[in-house]
Amino acid sequence: MFHSKEAGDLWTQLTALACWIVFLARPLVEDRPLPWQKPQQHLTPQRVQQSILPIFAQIGSPARPPKKRGNALGWPKGKRRTPKPRFPVVKKQPAAANMA
């Protein structure tokens, strides 16, 4: 599954970090049940993860916004497109029909 020992170690650390974030965020989040869910007093890790998005929105991202690259050129005007080659349909017959 992992390409190297280091990749496995990093994945293990990332998983542990994600578990700690969910554990530490439990007192900070409000329960936001989906329409079919009952409200809970003691939030489960799944319910914490479901309700943590507003906290991440307030914190923001350290990444810069993506650069605009402009519009793609597309197909040049006036250049005609060549149609794709068409091939006949090959219909296979049963083996008994070929022998007769």
Side-chain angles (χ1 to χ4, degrees), residues 72-90:
L73 297 176
W75 193 263
K77 290 185 179 181
K79 185 175 180 183
R80 295 190 52 87
R81 296 179 188 235
T82 56
K84 294 182 180 179
R86 304 283 181 165
F87 298 99
V89 177
V90 177

Side-chain angles (χ1 to χ4, degrees), residues 3-16:
H3 295 289
S4 67
K5 179 181 175 266
E6 292 81 16
D9 291 342
L10 287 175
W11 184 253
T12 303
Q13 291 174 0
L14 181 65
T15 306

Side-chain angles (χ1 to χ4, degrees), residues 32-75:
R32 295 181 178 218
L34 296 172
W36 58 86
Q37 294 174 331
K38 294 180 182 177
Q40 292 181 345
Q41 293 295 331
H42 303 289
L43 299 179
T44 61
Q46 180 182 359
R47 197 60 80 83
V48 172
Q49 184 180 359
Q50 174 181 319
S51 304
I52 203 168
L53 190 60
I55 292 177
F56 285 149
Q58 285 180 346
I59 293 171
S61 172
R64 292 181 295 207
K67 295 180 183 178
K68 293 190 176 188
R69 299 291 183 191
N71 295 333
L73 297 176
W75 193 263

